[in-house]
Amino acid sequence: MSDARCGDPREYGDRARDDERPRVYDGRDGDDRDPRGGLMHDLDLPRGEARELVVDRDRVYELNGEDSRTLAAVGTFRIVPEPDLDIGHGTLGHLRAEGLVEAVDLGGDERGLVLTKQGRDLLESHTLERDDDASQAFYAGVSRSREIDHDSNLYATYRQEEARLRDEHGGLDIRRVILEQDLKREYQEFLQEHNRGRADSDGRPDRDEGEIREWAREHDLPYFDEQVHFPDYRIEYEVDGQERHEDVELFTEHYRGAHAASHSQTGFRIYVVGSRGGGGRSALHPRVFEEFL
């Protein structure tokens, strides 16, 4: 964090930005092949090479486009291994010094990055509000320590999916990434809608199967075996003015039997992570499900 934090942040408004128009990602800022770029769709943060002063409440930070894109990727997927970000130690060291990220042990000699609370607050305070849809959600810290290994592989699958979609469509506009927990949270809100505010409620959802099937259909999620099935995350994107999405799920090679077979019906894009060796992280392999089985 810059020493400027000791003063009034308002003193640095003109230095932090030459004009007051929000920055909008249009694919031309930085490397348009950078998979992190689309994750900045709703962020009003620096995108160029030079570091600028960015004010968040009583704090002032110095950020450039590389810093912004890194924060967006880590905040979107909650935890990202340092090598997967493919950035220099100068950027990582700077973001740590600013108090925006911290390291998490992934086993062996590898570390992952997560946002600090300050990092998440910075992204949320510089997120543009959208009238038509929800903005990208960002997260700090580790929520499920037992699933760190699984969750730390998600960004790597996103990099491959983003590249595949871009090559397939000749260009696309990533709108946001929705994690499984947020899809499930929306589902739970739907289930509990009739109980909200009722003193006599026993907390049990009263939705019938028809209503649940209709909710799943509206959200383009598979429903079978008497339940809604959720991917690890959903990529929402736009091509030629049309809104689309891709659902992605990560499997380990230990997923077998009925659990694995049931997912053959989901239509999700499946990535399989191989077995570890020598304490290092596993390689990711996109596979059609029939090959996996």
Side-chain angles (χ1 to χ4, degrees), residues 81 83-84 106-107 110 149 152-153 156 273-277 279-284:
D84 288 356
L106 296 180
E110 192 167 35
D149 184 58
S152 66
N153 283 295
V273 61
S275 301
R276 283 182 179 273
R281 279 196 318 127
S282 311
L284 289 164

Side-chain angles (χ1 to χ4, degrees), residues 59-290:
R59 300 172 182 264
V60 179
Y61 303 94
E62 295 183 9
L63 302 176
N64 60 14
E66 187 74 350
D67 300 325
S68 301
R69 290 186 289 273
T70 300
L71 291 173
V74 174
T76 296
F77 288 95
R78 191 183 286 278
I79 179 169
V80 179
E82 291 182 5
D84 288 356
L85 291 166
D86 194 24
I87 57 177
H89 292 292
T91 296
L92 296 180
H94 176 74
L95 292 176
R96 289 194 190 99
E98 294 282 81
L100 298 173
V101 302
E102 59 187 3
V104 174
D105 183 19
L106 296 180
D109 296 327
E110 192 167 35
R111 297 185 302 178
L113 287 183
V114 298
L115 291 186
T116 61
K117 180 180 181 299
Q118 290 86 349
R120 183 191 61 198
D121 290 347
L122 172 67
L123 295 186
E124 290 181 345
S125 67
H126 286 77
T127 295
L128 302 172
E129 294 185 3
R130 303 288 182 184
D131 295 331
D132 55 341
D133 207 347
S135 300
Q136 177 65 57
F138 299 107
Y139 308 90
V142 175
S143 65
R144 306 179 297 181
S145 58
R146 62 186 176 84
E147 297 196 23
I148 285 181
D149 184 58
H150 174 276
D151 294 349
S152 66
N153 283 295
L154 294 182
Y155 175 68
T157 69
Y158 167 77
R159 286 177 55 176
Q160 295 191 44
E161 273 302 290
E162 196 272 350
R164 183 185 70 84
L165 291 171
R166 188 172 297 281
D167 290 342
E168 179 179 315
H169 298 292
L172 75 159
D173 180 12
I174 301 291
R175 309 295 290 186
R176 64 172 175 156
V177 170
I178 312 173
L179 298 187
E180 175 187 22
Q181 65 192 68
D182 289 316
L183 291 170
K184 287 184 174 179
R185 182 181 297 113
E186 186 175 349
Y187 177 55
Q188 288 300 318
E189 290 173 353
F190 158 75
L191 292 178
Q192 295 293 338
E193 184 178 4
H194 296 159
N195 293 326
R196 200 166 296 119
R198 289 181 50 187
D200 61 341
S201 172
D202 60 5
R204 297 178 182 176
D206 59 356
R207 300 287 190 176
D208 61 34
E209 183 179 4
E211 290 176 300
I212 294 174
R213 281 185 178 276
E214 179 62 18
W215 185 92
R217 186 193 66 79
E218 291 176 352
H219 291 75
D220 199 19
L221 290 168
Y223 180 88
F224 56 87
D225 295 339
E226 300 183 343
Q227 62 180 312
V228 182
H229 294 261
F230 298 87
D232 279 319
Y233 64 90
R234 167 172 287 183
I235 304 173
E236 292 186 343
Y237 63 97
E238 185 175 306
V239 175
D240 298 329
Q242 295 185 343
E243 295 182 358
R244 304 185 185 186
H245 67 262
E246 186 74 44
D247 292 332
V248 180
E249 178 128 345
L250 177 66
F251 269 26
T252 70
E253 293 187 338
H254 300 293
Y255 287 21
R256 296 297 187 203
H259 178 72
S262 69
H263 282 73
S264 65
Q265 305 176 51
T266 63
F268 299 155
R269 177 78 169 168
I270 303 294
Y271 279 80
V272 181
V273 61
S275 301
R276 283 182 179 273
R281 279 196 318 127
S282 311
L284 289 164
H285 306 285
R287 302 182 187 174
V288 296
F289 208 90
E290 289 73 14

